Amino acid sequence: MAQYSSYCAAVAAGKFNVKHKDYHDNYYGFAETEDNALFGRLLMEINQAGLSWDTVLNKADSIKAAYANYDIAQVANFTPTDIEKLLQNPGIIRMRKKIEAAIYNAQQIQFLQKEYGSFYQWIDAQHPQKEEDWIKSFKKKFKFTGKEITKEFLMGIGYLKGAHVPECPIYEKVLKSQPKWLEA
């Protein structure tokens, strides 16, 4: 992507496939408040670690199905048998640490739901923070949430700036979807 000034420019130039364009135009940077959808977005970022976003987008439907349509309560109750089934599923990213992190993180989200009312409300209660403070908050609560995963997750749901450049035709749509989040 070095020849393009941004992800937005690369998408506009047709550098990526239709799935990228859909993600860029309809999800990346847009507000998300529903807990299972937030969990799904976090899970996608965790699965991307060390791989191309193409790989994850191409497996997105299979990943969602394998993780109970991102139902937090169901994933939190996955057993060792479920882990072994996931490790045999060619439609997903079959890395034990990522699978175990998904289950652990679903359990952590359940604790946050009890304490804050929802995962979304926990995220919202942390806002505004500097990027490095967000990363610390996520590392305290979750597994497999390093700097890039946390940053991309938060940019992807609009809590950190940077998902789109001002020249991007989607930029204004993103701002309208969650103006309060991007103010800080």
Side-chain angles (χ1 to χ4, degrees):
M1 200 172 72
Q3 67 196 40
Y4 300 99
S5 59
S6 66
Y7 177 57
C8 299
V11 169
K15 165 80 173 133
F16 298 112
N17 64 29
V18 171
K19 290 182 181 189
H20 265 284
K21 181 152 179 46
D22 180 54
Y23 178 73
H24 171 272
D25 292 357
N26 299 301
Y27 298 96
Y28 194 48
F30 287 88
E32 182 57 70
T33 60
E34 199 279 316
D35 279 6
N36 289 331
L38 286 166
F39 173 60
R41 298 284 288 276
L42 181 61
L43 194 59
M44 293 294 285
E45 293 297 342
I46 289 168
N47 274 278
Q48 188 275 327
L51 302 171
S52 74
W53 193 238
D54 278 336
T55 300
V56 175
L57 288 176
N58 288 332
K59 292 181 177 264
D61 292 339
S62 294
I63 292 169
K64 185 175 183 179
Y67 288 97
N69 293 315
Y70 303 136
D71 184 288
I72 294 163
Q74 286 187 49
V75 175
N77 287 312
F78 277 11
T79 66
T81 301
D82 294 315
I83 292 170
E84 292 307 316
K85 285 180 186 175
L86 290 169
L87 287 168
Q88 301 306 312
N89 184 338
I92 69 166
I93 310 302
R94 295 179 290 177
M95 182 178 176
R96 183 178 291 277
K97 287 186 178 187
K98 290 180 181 184
I99 293 168
E100 290 171 347
I103 298 164
Y104 177 85
N105 293 344
Q107 293 165 349
Q108 290 302 105
I109 291 171
Q110 287 185 313
F111 291 126
L112 294 173
Q113 289 172 324
K114 287 177 184 159
E115 186 175 349
Y116 288 87
S118 71
F119 181 32
Y120 164 73
Q121 288 176 333
W122 176 79
I123 294 170
D124 202 48
Q126 309 304 306
H127 183 70
Q129 289 191 77
K130 294 178 184 173
E131 182 180 318
E132 52 272 7
D133 294 327
W134 278 111
I135 293 163
K136 288 177 189 173
S137 294
F138 270 71
K139 280 188 171 189
K140 283 181 189 175
K141 296 286 181 193
F142 304 110
K143 288 186 178 180
F144 225 99
T145 54
K147 179 181 179 182
E148 284 303 309
I149 291 168
T150 301
K151 180 179 131 189
E152 282 298 324
F153 170 71
L154 292 168
M155 279 188 357
I157 63 167
Y159 269 88
L160 288 178
K161 293 180 183 180
H164 298 273
V165 295
E167 303 80 39
C168 179
I170 304 303
Y171 184 79
E172 290 299 321
K173 275 177 68 177
V174 167
L175 286 181
K176 288 176 185 166
S177 83
Q178 81 268 310
K180 135 185 164 177
W181 293 358
L182 292 173
E183 288 172 0

